[in-house]
PDB file of all heavy atoms in Angstrom:
ATOM      1  N   SER A1373      21.788  -2.503 -16.160  1.00 93.00           N
ATOM      2  CA  SER A1373      22.347  -2.342 -17.500  1.00 93.00           C
ATOM      3  C   SER A1373      22.951  -0.948 -17.644  1.00 93.00           C
ATOM      4  O   SER A1373      22.643  -0.036 -16.871  1.00 93.00           O
ATOM      5  CB  SER A1373      21.267  -2.572 -18.564  1.00 93.00           C
ATOM      6  OG  SER A1373      20.156  -1.722 -18.352  1.00 93.00           O
ATOM      7  N   TYR A1374      23.794  -0.779 -18.674  1.00 95.00           N
ATOM      8  CA  TYR A1374      24.563   0.465 -18.818  1.00 95.00           C
ATOM      9  C   TYR A1374      24.570   0.924 -20.269  1.00 95.00           C
ATOM     10  O   TYR A1374      24.517   0.114 -21.199  1.00 95.00           O
ATOM     11  CB  TYR A1374      26.003   0.246 -18.337  1.00 95.00           C
ATOM     12  CG  TYR A1374      26.083  -0.299 -16.938  1.00 95.00           C
ATOM     13  CD1 TYR A1374      26.118  -1.689 -16.705  1.00 95.00           C
ATOM     14  CD2 TYR A1374      26.093   0.545 -15.832  1.00 95.00           C
ATOM     15  CE1 TYR A1374      26.169  -2.201 -15.418  1.00 95.00           C
ATOM     16  CE2 TYR A1374      26.138   0.046 -14.541  1.00 95.00           C
ATOM     17  CZ  TYR A1374      26.180  -1.328 -14.337  1.00 95.00           C
ATOM     18  OH  TYR A1374      26.221  -1.831 -13.055  1.00 95.00           O
ATOM     19  N   THR A1383      31.327  23.810 -28.483  1.00 87.00           N
ATOM     20  CA  THR A1383      32.602  24.041 -27.802  1.00 87.00           C
ATOM     21  C   THR A1383      33.065  22.857 -26.969  1.00 87.00           C
ATOM     22  O   THR A1383      34.262  22.710 -26.736  1.00 87.00           O
ATOM     23  CB  THR A1383      32.506  25.277 -26.873  1.00 87.00           C
ATOM     24  OG1 THR A1383      31.453  25.069 -25.919  1.00 87.00           O
ATOM     25  CG2 THR A1383      32.204  26.532 -27.672  1.00 87.00           C
ATOM     26  N   VAL A1396      24.458   8.775 -13.316  1.00 94.00           N
ATOM     27  CA  VAL A1396      25.722   8.960 -14.033  1.00 94.00           C
ATOM     28  C   VAL A1396      26.838   8.345 -13.198  1.00 94.00           C
ATOM     29  O   VAL A1396      27.197   8.855 -12.137  1.00 94.00           O
ATOM     30  CB  VAL A1396      26.006  10.452 -14.285  1.00 94.00           C
ATOM     31  CG1 VAL A1396      27.334  10.626 -15.027  1.00 94.00           C
ATOM     32  CG2 VAL A1396      24.873  11.090 -15.069  1.00 94.00           C
ATOM     33  N   ASN A1429      36.139  -0.727 -14.985  1.00 93.00           N
ATOM     34  CA  ASN A1429      36.348  -2.188 -15.021  1.00 93.00           C
ATOM     35  C   ASN A1429      35.228  -2.906 -15.764  1.00 93.00           C
ATOM     36  O   ASN A1429      34.755  -3.971 -15.347  1.00 93.00           O
ATOM     37  CB  ASN A1429      36.475  -2.754 -13.597  1.00 93.00           C
ATOM     38  CG  ASN A1429      37.702  -2.226 -12.889  1.00 93.00           C
ATOM     39  OD1 ASN A1429      38.797  -2.199 -13.462  1.00 93.00           O
ATOM     40  ND2 ASN A1429      37.522  -1.770 -11.654  1.00 93.00           N
ATOM     41  N   MET A1430      34.816  -2.285 -16.871  1.00 92.00           N
ATOM     42  CA  MET A1430      33.757  -2.877 -17.688  1.00 92.00           C
ATOM     43  C   MET A1430      34.297  -3.214 -19.071  1.00 92.00           C
ATOM     44  O   MET A1430      35.373  -2.755 -19.469  1.00 92.00           O
ATOM     45  CB  MET A1430      32.581  -1.895 -17.820  1.00 92.00           C
ATOM     46  CG  MET A1430      31.860  -1.610 -16.511  1.00 92.00           C
ATOM     47  SD  MET A1430      30.502  -0.442 -16.748  1.00 92.00           S
ATOM     48  CE  MET A1430      29.412  -1.425 -17.770  1.00 92.00           C
ATOM     49  N   SER A1433      31.187  -5.119 -24.358  1.00 89.00           N
ATOM     50  CA  SER A1433      30.121  -6.103 -24.565  1.00 89.00           C
ATOM     51  C   SER A1433      29.054  -6.055 -23.459  1.00 89.00           C
ATOM     52  O   SER A1433      27.962  -6.578 -23.635  1.00 89.00           O
ATOM     53  CB  SER A1433      30.716  -7.506 -24.634  1.00 89.00           C
ATOM     54  OG  SER A1433      31.431  -7.810 -23.446  1.00 89.00           O
ATOM     55  N   ALA A1442      23.055  15.707 -30.547  1.00 95.00           N
ATOM     56  CA  ALA A1442      23.826  16.699 -31.296  1.00 95.00           C
ATOM     57  C   ALA A1442      22.908  17.834 -31.726  1.00 95.00           C
ATOM     58  O   ALA A1442      21.693  17.661 -31.844  1.00 95.00           O
ATOM     59  CB  ALA A1442      24.477  16.049 -32.520  1.00 95.00           C
ATOM     60  N   VAL A1505       6.325  19.739 -23.123  1.00 98.00           N
ATOM     61  CA  VAL A1505       7.364  20.312 -23.977  1.00 98.00           C
ATOM     62  C   VAL A1505       8.510  20.754 -23.080  1.00 98.00           C
ATOM     63  O   VAL A1505       8.297  21.462 -22.094  1.00 98.00           O
ATOM     64  CB  VAL A1505       6.844  21.498 -24.810  1.00 98.00           C
ATOM     65  CG1 VAL A1505       7.971  22.077 -25.674  1.00 98.00           C
ATOM     66  CG2 VAL A1505       5.659  21.088 -25.681  1.00 98.00           C
ATOM     67  N   ILE A1539       8.748  35.683 -33.997  1.00 95.00           N
ATOM     68  CA  ILE A1539       7.995  36.328 -32.919  1.00 95.00           C
ATOM     69  C   ILE A1539       7.684  37.786 -33.264  1.00 95.00           C
ATOM     70  O   ILE A1539       6.601  38.291 -32.996  1.00 95.00           O
ATOM     71  CB  ILE A1539       8.796  36.264 -31.597  1.00 95.00           C
ATOM     72  CG1 ILE A1539       9.033  34.804 -31.182  1.00 95.00           C
ATOM     73  CG2 ILE A1539       8.097  37.034 -30.481  1.00 95.00           C
ATOM     74  CD1 ILE A1539       7.800  34.040 -30.790  1.00 95.00           C
ATOM     75  N   ALA A1558      15.291  36.375 -27.743  1.00 97.00           N
ATOM     76  CA  ALA A1558      15.101  36.000 -26.336  1.00 97.00           C
ATOM     77  C   ALA A1558      16.079  34.965 -25.793  1.00 97.00           C
ATOM     78  O   ALA A1558      15.925  34.536 -24.646  1.00 97.00           O
ATOM     79  CB  ALA A1558      13.665  35.482 -26.143  1.00 97.00           C
ATOM     80  N   SER A1559      17.090  34.568 -26.554  1.00 95.00           N
ATOM     81  CA  SER A1559      18.090  33.637 -26.023  1.00 95.00           C
ATOM     82  C   SER A1559      19.082  34.374 -25.136  1.00 95.00           C
ATOM     83  O   SER A1559      19.085  35.611 -25.065  1.00 95.00           O
ATOM     84  CB  SER A1559      18.845  32.980 -27.184  1.00 95.00           C
ATOM     85  OG  SER A1559      19.564  33.974 -27.906  1.00 95.00           O
ATOM     86  N   GLY A1560      19.948  33.624 -24.475  1.00 95.00           N
ATOM     87  CA  GLY A1560      21.016  34.247 -23.701  1.00 95.00           C
ATOM     88  C   GLY A1560      21.900  35.118 -24.576  1.00 95.00           C
ATOM     89  O   GLY A1560      22.328  36.217 -24.184  1.00 95.00           O
ATOM     90  N   ALA A1562      20.977  36.676 -27.257  1.00 96.00           N
ATOM     91  CA  ALA A1562      20.218  37.872 -27.605  1.00 96.00           C
ATOM     92  C   ALA A1562      20.244  38.886 -26.473  1.00 96.00           C
ATOM     93  O   ALA A1562      20.394  40.100 -26.704  1.00 96.00           O
ATOM     94  CB  ALA A1562      18.774  37.489 -27.932  1.00 96.00           C
ATOM     95  N   ALA A1567      21.953  44.036 -24.437  1.00 97.00           N
ATOM     96  CA  ALA A1567      22.465  44.775 -23.285  1.00 97.00           C
ATOM     97  C   ALA A1567      23.791  45.452 -23.616  1.00 97.00           C
ATOM     98  O   ALA A1567      24.051  46.587 -23.198  1.00 97.00           O
ATOM     99  CB  ALA A1567      22.625  43.840 -22.085  1.00 97.00           C
ATOM    100  N   ALA A1580      23.492  41.229 -17.284  1.00 96.00           N
ATOM    101  CA  ALA A1580      22.259  41.955 -17.620  1.00 96.00           C
ATOM    102  C   ALA A1580      21.160  41.659 -16.602  1.00 96.00           C
ATOM    103  O   ALA A1580      20.468  42.578 -16.138  1.00 96.00           O
ATOM    104  CB  ALA A1580      21.799  41.577 -19.029  1.00 96.00           C
ATOM    105  N   SER A1625      17.238  30.007 -17.789  1.00 94.00           N
ATOM    106  CA  SER A1625      16.283  29.572 -16.761  1.00 94.00           C
ATOM    107  C   SER A1625      16.841  29.746 -15.352  1.00 94.00           C
ATOM    108  O   SER A1625      16.074  29.775 -14.376  1.00 94.00           O
ATOM    109  CB  SER A1625      15.889  28.112 -16.982  1.00 94.00           C
ATOM    110  OG  SER A1625      16.951  27.228 -16.651  1.00 94.00           O
ATOM    111  N   ILE A1635       6.524  34.375 -17.181  1.00 98.00           N
ATOM    112  CA  ILE A1635       5.955  33.436 -18.152  1.00 98.00           C
ATOM    113  C   ILE A1635       4.557  32.997 -17.717  1.00 98.00           C
ATOM    114  O   ILE A1635       3.609  32.994 -18.513  1.00 98.00           O
ATOM    115  CB  ILE A1635       6.866  32.209 -18.324  1.00 98.00           C
ATOM    116  CG1 ILE A1635       8.204  32.602 -18.934  1.00 98.00           C
ATOM    117  CG2 ILE A1635       6.180  31.159 -19.203  1.00 98.00           C
ATOM    118  CD1 ILE A1635       9.232  31.482 -18.929  1.00 98.00           C
ATOM    119  N   HIS A1642      -2.942  34.834 -22.012  1.00 98.00           N
ATOM    120  CA  HIS A1642      -2.954  34.783 -23.466  1.00 98.00           C
ATOM    121  C   HIS A1642      -3.101  33.403 -24.103  1.00 98.00           C
ATOM    122  O   HIS A1642      -3.334  33.331 -25.319  1.00 98.00           O
ATOM    123  CB  HIS A1642      -1.689  35.453 -24.009  1.00 98.00           C
ATOM    124  CG  HIS A1642      -1.612  36.910 -23.663  1.00 98.00           C
ATOM    125  ND1 HIS A1642      -2.418  37.862 -24.251  1.00 98.00           N
ATOM    126  CD2 HIS A1642      -0.826  37.572 -22.774  1.00 98.00           C
ATOM    127  CE1 HIS A1642      -2.128  39.052 -23.750  1.00 98.00           C
ATOM    128  NE2 HIS A1642      -1.173  38.902 -22.854  1.00 98.00           N
ATOM    129  N   ARG A1649      -4.302  28.106 -20.106  1.00 98.00           N
ATOM    130  CA  ARG A1649      -3.854  29.218 -19.257  1.00 98.00           C
ATOM    131  C   ARG A1649      -3.367  28.731 -17.898  1.00 98.00           C
ATOM    132  O   ARG A1649      -2.670  29.447 -17.190  1.00 98.00           O
ATOM    133  CB  ARG A1649      -4.988  30.227 -19.084  1.00 98.00           C
ATOM    134  CG  ARG A1649      -5.378  30.886 -20.390  1.00 98.00           C
ATOM    135  CD  ARG A1649      -6.594  31.776 -20.248  1.00 98.00           C
ATOM    136  NE  ARG A1649      -7.086  32.163 -21.581  1.00 98.00           N
ATOM    137  CZ  ARG A1649      -8.240  32.777 -21.795  1.00 98.00           C
ATOM    138  NH1 ARG A1649      -9.046  33.072 -20.776  1.00 98.00           N
ATOM    139  NH2 ARG A1649      -8.611  33.083 -23.031  1.00 98.00           N
ATOM    140  N   ILE A1653       4.119  25.127 -15.371  1.00 98.00           N
ATOM    141  CA  ILE A1653       5.399  25.572 -15.951  1.00 98.00           C
ATOM    142  C   ILE A1653       6.456  25.479 -14.868  1.00 98.00           C
ATOM    143  O   ILE A1653       6.362  26.152 -13.836  1.00 98.00           O
ATOM    144  CB  ILE A1653       5.294  27.007 -16.494  1.00 98.00           C
ATOM    145  CG1 ILE A1653       4.175  27.095 -17.548  1.00 98.00           C
ATOM    146  CG2 ILE A1653       6.631  27.467 -17.086  1.00 98.00           C
ATOM    147  CD1 ILE A1653       3.783  28.512 -17.926  1.00 98.00           C
ATOM    148  N   ALA A1668      21.905   8.884 -23.169  1.00 97.00           N
ATOM    149  CA  ALA A1668      21.847   7.498 -22.682  1.00 97.00           C
ATOM    150  C   ALA A1668      20.403   6.984 -22.630  1.00 97.00           C
ATOM    151  O   ALA A1668      20.143   5.805 -22.875  1.00 97.00           O
ATOM    152  CB  ALA A1668      22.477   7.398 -21.304  1.00 97.00           C
TER     153      ALA A1668
END
Side-chain angles (χ1 to χ4, degrees):
S1373 55
Y1374 306 91
T1383 58
V1396 180
N1429 296 314
M1430 294 180 66
S1433 58
V1505 179
I1539 298 293
S1559 64
S1625 72
I1635 295 171
H1642 297 288
R1649 296 174 192 170
I1653 302 167

